[in-house]
Amino acid sequence: MNLPAMNEEQDVELLRRQYQQLLEPDKIIIPSSVILRRPQIQAQIFETMFKDGSLSFPPPDRYKIRVLKKLLESMEEAIEDPEEDEISDDLSACLAQLMSCPQVPASTAAQQKSYVTYTVPTMLPDVSCITLFEARSLIAASGTTGLRTWEAALHLGHYLFSTKGRQLVHSKHILELGAGTGFLSILCAKHLSAKYVMATDGSEEVINDLASNLYLNGLEDSGRIGRTVLKWGQSLVNTAVDRHESPHKYDLVLGADVVSNGLQQIYDNKAILALVSTCRELFLRYPGCVAIISATVRNEETLEIFVNACSESQYLE
């Protein structure tokens, strides 16, 4: 008797998580018509997602409007008996209120940062979240794409949350290359019990912005995570990477989408060789150190150059 209700709860919870992650509305998984037409489910959706104050870090209004339109359209399609089935007045009123307010142009909104909340891959009620202040379409002035979290980081985070992944991180010193928004570094420091994490990126702008994400996740004064600019190919001697604590060694190096970025820009051979050079120095300075690189294959030639360079240096398992 309780199983259907539990499934309904999970469907609504999944909807809320997708909403807080700012998933594109056409990719959001909507609860089934049988569930969606129920008044108590519609009320729960309003109370947990759209009611003022229901979320500590709500999505921007333009995104709310797009999701509400999709939800109300799905609710209308779910109606079987017009005399019995109704659509939530609260949800309809919320959409009307949002649409009555002046909205910034879409081109401007695309360049603005928003709160994005990522939830760990479990449907358990006591879940762990990471909230980041990022720009889904914004490129930093330096040309980097480090102001948003990319798919490869999410996949690597999923792996690190596995039993095997947790063992690699727990009580270990972690170095992240191309940290961007800091998703992986924050995940390791906040939820996976890393002893210390150093988040690095080649862009000073990105590293400066990372401070706000550390603050959002309660890590700014934790002493368990640091941030610094690191240019691939340059010596690590006497850098912040090399002297965060003494004596110390890095046990794990992480990198996500460091081979090709989210705009399908092909990195030149020089940049790839510089990345491999940095990995080489890390392996020499910290014997036993392991590196995990996660990449979305956007250009096979670029990835092949990286893999070949690693193979020639005997870095592949």
Side-chain angles (χ1 to χ4, degrees), residues 128-139:
S128 303
C129 298
I130 293 175
T131 297
L132 304 175
F133 195 47
E134 62 178 69
R136 308 296 281 177
S137 305
L138 188 62
I139 305 176

Side-chain angles (χ1 to χ4, degrees), residues 87-106:
I87 295 178
S88 166
D89 289 338
D90 288 329
L91 290 173
S92 298
C94 182
L95 177 59
Q97 180 182 10
L98 287 169
M99 294 187 67
S100 67
C101 298
Q103 298 292 324
V104 298

Side-chain angles (χ1 to χ4, degrees), residues 306-317:
F306 175 70
V307 171
N308 288 340
C310 289
S311 180
E312 291 173 1
S313 300
Q314 299 183 335
Y315 294 155
L316 299 180
E317 289 191 355

Side-chain angles (χ1 to χ4, degrees), residues 17 88 187 191 219 257 317:
R17 293 184 186 186
S88 166
L187 175 67
H191 298 303
L219 293 170
D257 263 340
E317 289 191 355

Side-chain angles (χ1 to χ4, degrees), residues 236-275:
L236 301 177
V237 177
N238 293 326
T239 65
V241 170
D242 192 47
R243 62 172 183 265
H244 79 266
E245 147 181 11
S246 182
H248 79 278
K249 65 184 289 291
Y250 288 108
D251 304 288
L252 179 65
V253 175
L254 299 175
D257 263 340
V258 292
V259 177
S260 61
N261 66 30
L263 297 182
Q264 301 185 29
Q265 171 184 331
I266 302 175
Y267 281 12
D268 59 26
N269 293 4
K270 184 177 179 180
I272 292 177
L273 294 177
L275 170 59

Side-chain angles (χ1 to χ4, degrees), residues 166-236:
R166 286 173 178 270
Q167 293 174 350
L168 291 171
V169 176
H170 189 273
S171 298
K172 302 294 177 56
H173 289 83
I174 313 295
L175 175 70
E176 184 180 6
L177 302 174
T181 63
F183 172 80
L184 290 173
S185 291
I186 292 170
L187 175 67
C188 292
K190 184 177 181 180
H191 298 303
L192 297 179
S193 302
K195 185 173 183 180
Y196 187 84
V197 181
M198 177 62 79
T200 72
D201 199 279
S203 166
E204 186 173 350
E205 178 186 0
V206 168
I207 288 299
N208 289 337
D209 282 1
L210 183 54
S212 63
N213 286 336
L214 298 184
Y215 174 80
L216 285 174
N217 291 278
L219 293 170
E220 72 279 11
D221 296 319
S222 67
R224 290 183 287 117
I225 187 168
R227 56 190 175 91
T228 190
V229 174
L230 174 63
K231 303 289 187 181
W232 298 339
Q234 296 183 2
S235 174
L236 301 177

Side-chain angles (χ1 to χ4, degrees), residues 97-148:
Q97 180 182 10
L98 287 169
M99 294 187 67
S100 67
C101 298
Q103 298 292 324
V104 298
S107 58
T108 301
Q111 298 300 309
Q112 293 178 334
K113 289 187 176 183
S114 306
Y115 292 111
V116 185
T117 298
Y118 300 92
T119 309
V120 300
T122 174
M123 292 307 295
L124 296 176
D126 185 18
V127 297
S128 303
C129 298
I130 293 175
T131 297
L132 304 175
F133 195 47
E134 62 178 69
R136 308 296 281 177
S137 305
L138 188 62
I139 305 176
S142 60
T144 181
T145 55
L147 299 182
R148 64 160 292 176

